């Protein structure tokens, strides 16, 4: 039936294009049996539409049914347009038409029930469609979105409608939108179909001689569901739409801007997405796991939650693993966010593996969360992360909240200091949830043991030093009380400590002192056990009554050099510490004392070693000259131990600072050790790549290299020597451990077990 333009008086009855009552009135006045096309009549749509419908995957017309099932086509907001009828007559029989006007649906059903019996008509709101997900191969929208997007109505209805369209279109299906492509309509389309859809724009030909004010377009969206962001394509140039310069220019400008946005998404690997972007398909279908998927996002914000959060979404790299949880949340405190384990991709994948979650969402706290309780943060995050959980049940349905912590069940801040070199420093007394976690096996089985720790806030996940606290003998306590009485008028600082006694802000004393006869840190015990590699040389030094020079880079709380000082009295120990504040804290809170055999130099460790080489080249130590004159060994044995932390954790090397593993410094150490001695590095890194880099550099400089990996820690202690060590097999090392044990003035439990774990790398 021939279509015609509606008279002006009928158009004026509509007013609000989103009102059902207005449309009912319009169609009643219009009358049954007459088609009304707003724009783009069938003769000018025919070729373009048939081409698009024929190119839908698995499509076949009724005359070619053997090719595949016919496409399921939905025409929302059908009105009384004749487009559906023409498509039916062209062979596309599986067409469903919907409109919220019962009047027009009844008229169209009566008009087609006999001639087109397979065509379906339903009264339905296009913004709330009652169809299952992925029901249609094609959604054909002719002016429906434009009607919903009247400037006065805003984008709410258009947003709801397009969300429904995306839901009901099958994978590899199409949404065909015939539109005037005004900027506010195009902006919404581009925004909602940016991810997971391919977009092309075509010009609908005008009727020859028709000097219409507006040009009509067909925007084609193909449901791709890949993570690739495709540029907007077009089948026209500016000359085709030159009939309306203003409309054409706005369209071309819109496409250009959108493609710039899409190019940025495609080229950058560090983009931070919104939750909305991800739900739109920025990284594929979030309802399904995608092995190895990693993307950064912002969760929450104004109107959604109390706080916003930077987060990283990670899908386990192996989806066949037995997972404990479908989805988990791992909260990283502000003080630990810069650590390699949490800031690097390799570190984050380690967290995913240990979490046993099919999908892990790492949430990074910042200064804006400092006054919120963890309970409030979890409550705020819960609704945000639920939408990110995969649909398939890969594990327990609950979403657990995990957090980076140190297993401490009780913590008392003893003192806080501020250093220009190190930043905030904390001295704290702690008790652990599980005494076996994070400390030496010597302390297993005692639930009430207390430890004093030195912690740098810049690397709060790494304890600089840890000492066991023990009760002071009663006689010592009485003397300490007398000394404290005389000191109380001089010092009013709460938490200040002298000689091992803690003074609380209320003036009470806990009568605890540092136990210098034990090592609470397992890697310190590991370093001592590694001295068995040079036990023969140490025994020779004792036999010849020679001193052994030991340089320790990094004082910490002074616990390790103090232990060496007590256990091996023939050592001359020099400690190089960069920060004078650390030295003061070691003295005040960890009972560290200097004497003629234990000295501290404030300065740079690398320069100290290099200068030591220069001094020895210029003049030989007088003690060595005397040794030569007396027929002794004539070459003082030297040991260099690097136990310093890095101020920059983003590199992935927590200990030592990067300069201590550069080849120039390693060569300086080799020259300093001359033919004998031992070089020891406490290596802390969760990156296997960085560990291998350090090992390779050491192998290039030193003839011998040994490693001790500690199961309960991330520490690996490396022992290097410029000369061959007389160790042929495990029995040799067992014998040298016995020799070292005899040299120690204080027994070290577990030394044999740790020495057995030492393996030769070169």
């Amino acid at each position: 039936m021939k279509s015609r333009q509606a008279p002006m008086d009928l158009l004026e009855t509509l007013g609000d294009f989103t009102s059902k009552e207005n449309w009912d009135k319009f169609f009643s006045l219009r009358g049954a049996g007459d088609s009304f096309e707003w724009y783009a009549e069938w003769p000018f749509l025919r070729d373009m539409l048939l081409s698009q419908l024929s190119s839908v995957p698995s499509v076949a017309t009724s005359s070619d049914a053997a090719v595949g099932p016919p496409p399921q086509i939905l025409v929302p907001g059908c009105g009384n347009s004749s487009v559906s009828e023409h498509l039916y007559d062209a062979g596309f029989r599986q067409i469903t038409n919907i409109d919220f006007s019962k009047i027009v649906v009844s008229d169209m059903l009566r008009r087609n029930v006999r001639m087109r019996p397979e065509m379906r008509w339903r009264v339905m709101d296009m913004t709330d469609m009652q169809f299952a997900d992925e029901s249609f191969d094609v959604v054909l929208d002719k002016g429906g979105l434009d009607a919903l997007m009247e400037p006065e109505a805003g984008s709410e209805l258009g947003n709801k409608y397009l969300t429904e369209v995306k839901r009901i279109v099958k994978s590899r299906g199409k949404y065909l939108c015939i539109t005037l492509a005004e900027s506010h309509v195009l902006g919404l389309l581009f925004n909602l179909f940016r991810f997971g859809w391919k977009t092309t724009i075509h010009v609908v030909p005008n009727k020859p001689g028709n000097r219409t004010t507006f040009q009509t377009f067909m925007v084609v969206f193909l449901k791709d569901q890949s993570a690739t962001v495709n540029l907007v394509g077009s089948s026209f140039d500016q000359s085709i739409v030159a009939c309306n310069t203003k409309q054409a220019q706005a369209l071309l400008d819109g496409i250009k801007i959108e493609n710039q946005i899409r190019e940025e998404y495609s080229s950058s690997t560090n983009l931070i997405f919104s939750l909305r972007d991800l739900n739109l398909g920025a990284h594929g279908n979030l309802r399904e796991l995608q092995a190895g998927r990693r993307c950064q996002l912002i969760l929450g914000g104004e109107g959604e939650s109390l706080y916003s959060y930077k987060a990283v979404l990670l899908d386990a790299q192996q989806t066949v693993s037995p997972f404990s949880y479908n989805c988990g949340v791992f909260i990283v405190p502000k003080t630990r966010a810069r650590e390699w384990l949490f800031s690097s991709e390799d570190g984050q994948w380690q967290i995913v593996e240990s979490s046993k979650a099919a999908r892990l969402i790492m949430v990074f706290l910042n200064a804006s969360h400092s006054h919120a309780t963890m309970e409030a943060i979890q409550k705020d995050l819960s609704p945000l992360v639920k939408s990110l959980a995969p649909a398939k049940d890969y594990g327990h349905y609950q979403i657990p909240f995990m957090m980076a912590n140190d297993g401490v069940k009780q913590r008392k801040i003893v003192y806080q200091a501020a250093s220009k070199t190190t930043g905030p420093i904390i001295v704290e007394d702690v008790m652990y949830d599980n005494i076996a976690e994070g400390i030496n096996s010597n302390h297993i089985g005692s639930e009430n043991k207390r430890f004093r720790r030195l912690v740098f806030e810049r690397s709060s996940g790494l304890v600089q030093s840890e000492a066991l606290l023990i009760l002071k003998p009663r006689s010592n306590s009485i003397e300490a009380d007398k000394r404290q009485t005389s000191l109380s008028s001089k010092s009013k600082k709460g938490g200040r400590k002298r000689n091992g006694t803690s003074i609380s802000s209320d003036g009470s004393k806990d009568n605890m002192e540092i136990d210098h006869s034990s090592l609470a840190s397992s890697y310190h015990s590991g370093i001592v056990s590694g001295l068995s590699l040079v036990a023969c040389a140490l025994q020779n030094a004792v036999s010849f009554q020679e001193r052994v020079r030991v340089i320790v880079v990094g004082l910490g709380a002074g616990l390790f050099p103090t232990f060496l000082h007590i256990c091996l009295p023939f050592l001359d120990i020099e400690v190089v510490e960069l920060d004078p504040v650390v030295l003061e804290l070691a003295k005040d809170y960890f009972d560290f004392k200097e004497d003629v055999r234990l000295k501290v130099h404030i300065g740079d460790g690398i320069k100290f070693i290099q200068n030591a080489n220069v001094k020895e080249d210029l003049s030989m130590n007088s003690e060595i000259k005397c040794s030569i004159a007396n027929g002794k060994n004539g070459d003082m044995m030297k040991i260099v131990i690097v136990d310093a932390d890095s101020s920059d954790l983003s590199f992935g090397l927590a200990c030592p600072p990067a300069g201590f593993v550069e080849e120039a410094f390693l060569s300086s150490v080799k020259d300093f050790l001359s033919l004998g001695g031992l070089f020891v590095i406490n290596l802390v890194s969760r990156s296997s790549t960085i560990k291998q880099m350090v090992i390779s550099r050491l192998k290039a400089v030193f003839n011998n290299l040994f490693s001790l990996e500690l199961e309960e820690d991330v520490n690996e202690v490396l022992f290097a020597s410029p000369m061959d060590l007389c160790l042929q097999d495990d029995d040799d090392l067992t014998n040298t451990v016995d020799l070292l044990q005899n040299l120690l003035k204080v027994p070290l439990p577990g030394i044999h077990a740790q020495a057995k774990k030492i393996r030769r790398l070169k």
Side-chain angles (χ1 to χ4, degrees), residues 80-94:
N80 59 5
S81 170
S82 63
V83 169
S84 297
E85 296 165 331
H86 289 297
L87 286 176
Y88 189 96
D89 295 344
F92 296 94
R93 302 297 173 85
Q94 301 301 311

Side-chain angles (χ1 to χ4, degrees), residues 314-318 321-325 327-332 336 340-342 345-362 400-405 686 714:
L314 303 113
D315 283 351
Q317 293 175 313
Q318 298 293 331
S321 301
F323 297 112
S324 300
Y325 302 101
C327 182
V329 179
F330 191 93
I331 298 176
V332 181
R336 303 195 65 181
W340 178 89
L341 183 62
F342 308 115
E345 289 190 31
D346 288 344
Q348 290 168 4
W349 286 122
Q350 289 187 22
I351 297 294
V352 174
E353 184 176 353
S354 62
S355 73
K356 298 296 182 183
R359 172 173 293 166
L360 188 68
I361 303 162
M362 294 185 68
F401 281 82
M402 298 166 268
M403 186 170 180
N405 59 46
R686 295 182 185 270
V714 295

